[in-house]
Amino acid sequence: MNILFLGPPGSGKGTQSKMLQDKYGLVHLSTGDMFREAIAKKTEVGMKAKSYMDRGEYVPDAVVIDLIRDRLSGPDCKSGFILDGFPRTEPQAKALDELLKSLHMELGSIFFFDLSKEILVSRLSSRRTCRNCNRVVSVDQLKDLPTSESCAKASGPCDFYQRTDDSAEVVGKRIEVYQNQTAPIIGFYEKTSGFLRVDASSSPDAVFSVLEKALKKA
Ligand code: ADP
């Protein structure tokens, strides 16, 4: 089961990836998470990516494509993966096509997370992310989280913070970059078999059951 998630920032791709990963053991390939990990480890890729990400701009295609090529060729991806956050530009879409062909892989399902700009802005600005396991919650949910809950990746509770690019100043820029550079590639995938437009304004559980139903038919 190889899945591609398309959609604007804040549309719930990361949340659904985690739910599918937990239930079906798929490998979650999030380029954003990979870059944040590289930044935390101060690697060369991380250093290259940081200034672009902080400004809400895209990291240059060559850097992202190299990263995905390395990751997708890994043995763990053979049993199924979810691509989340790649491709985001036309050259990336072309590179993915070639890469999949060379690895003798195919995308079984392509989900487009559709959501209005108003909801995106409010979701992104109130989003908090765990530094260790990348779990995402809203400011409202944060208040109600039981203190006994522990992080999936570290000892003790999750360590939630606001990503620099989720600040009110950067959110508008990210949505603009998405509309200019990523929205145009949706048209290309729309014509592909396995494409489904999903209403991403429903609850995480409701979106998840739409995905599961589609995956069962695929
Ligand atoms: P979101 O989906 O919430 O926008 P991500 O965590 O997927 O956030 O990505 C955060 C940032 O990482 C992007 O704004 C961009 O700077 C960089 N990035 C991630 N994926 C790509 C990509 N495929 N191409 C270029 N930049 C990327």
Side-chain angles (χ1 to χ4, degrees):
M1 189 179 341
N2 297 331
I3 302 169
L4 172 61
F5 278 175
L6 297 166
S11 57
K13 306 186 300 293
T15 302
Q16 296 299 324
S17 297
K18 294 238 153 11
M19 291 168 86
L20 283 177
Q21 183 182 35
D22 288 349
K23 189 153 177 189
Y24 297 101
L26 301 170
V27 177
H28 177 204
L29 301 174
S30 155
T31 38
D33 286 352
M34 290 178 206
F35 285 133
R36 278 183 290 278
E37 221 175 281
I39 291 171
K41 288 187 186 147
K42 299 195 165 51
T43 67
E44 206 183 315
V45 166
M47 294 303 102
K48 274 190 203 155
K50 188 171 184 339
S51 60
Y52 295 98
M53 290 175 73
D54 285 348
R55 288 196 301 267
E57 290 169 15
Y58 285 168
V59 176
D61 285 335
V63 178
V64 195
I65 293 168
D66 280 352
L67 187 78
I68 279 291
R69 185 179 296 116
D70 265 12
R71 196 57 195 85
L72 211 52
S73 321
D76 57 338
C77 290
K78 297 241 170 335
S79 44
F81 58 81
I82 308 158
L83 266 179
D84 162 18
F86 180 92
R88 270 175 146 108
T89 64
E90 210 179 301
Q92 290 181 20
K94 287 200 177 120
L96 174 63
D97 202 38
E98 284 161 21
L99 188 59
L100 289 173
K101 273 187 196 131
S102 73
L103 293 168
H104 307 289
M105 288 171 159
E106 272 182 5
L107 295 172
S109 297
I110 301 164
F111 296 110
F112 169 50
F113 288 59
D114 202 4
L115 200 61
S116 74
K117 190 176 166 187
E118 291 68 36
I119 303 182
L120 291 176
V121 173
S122 98
R123 276 197 194 173
L124 286 169
S125 313
S126 69
R127 170 162 97 169
R128 299 294 180 269
T129 308
C130 172
R131 267 180 223 285
N132 300 311
C133 71
N134 297 312
R135 178 176 171 201
V136 164
V137 295
S138 69
V139 182
D140 287 343
Q141 287 170 322
L142 199 56
K143 285 185 274 187
D144 302 328
L145 280 187
T147 45
S148 56
E149 258 185 21
S150 56
C151 176
K153 285 272 173 72
S155 58
C158 284
D159 181 9
F160 290 106
Y161 77 114
Q162 182 175 38
R163 277 169 41 181
T164 324
D165 59 346
D166 279 346
S167 65
E169 311 85 71
V170 186
V171 160
K173 172 74 184 172
R174 283 165 66 202
I175 294 176
E176 183 193 317
V177 170
Y178 169 81
Q179 271 160 353
N180 290 336
Q181 300 198 48
T182 308
I185 68 170
I186 310 296
F188 163 74
Y189 284 107
E190 227 166 11
K191 298 178 199 104
T192 318
S193 72
F195 179 91
L196 183 71
R197 181 183 296 264
V198 177
D199 173 6
S201 67
S202 347
S203 70
D205 285 342
V207 174
F208 190 64
S209 61
V210 171
L211 301 188
E212 278 195 302
K213 221 165 119 191
L215 289 170
K216 278 188 188 124
K217 278 196 225 148

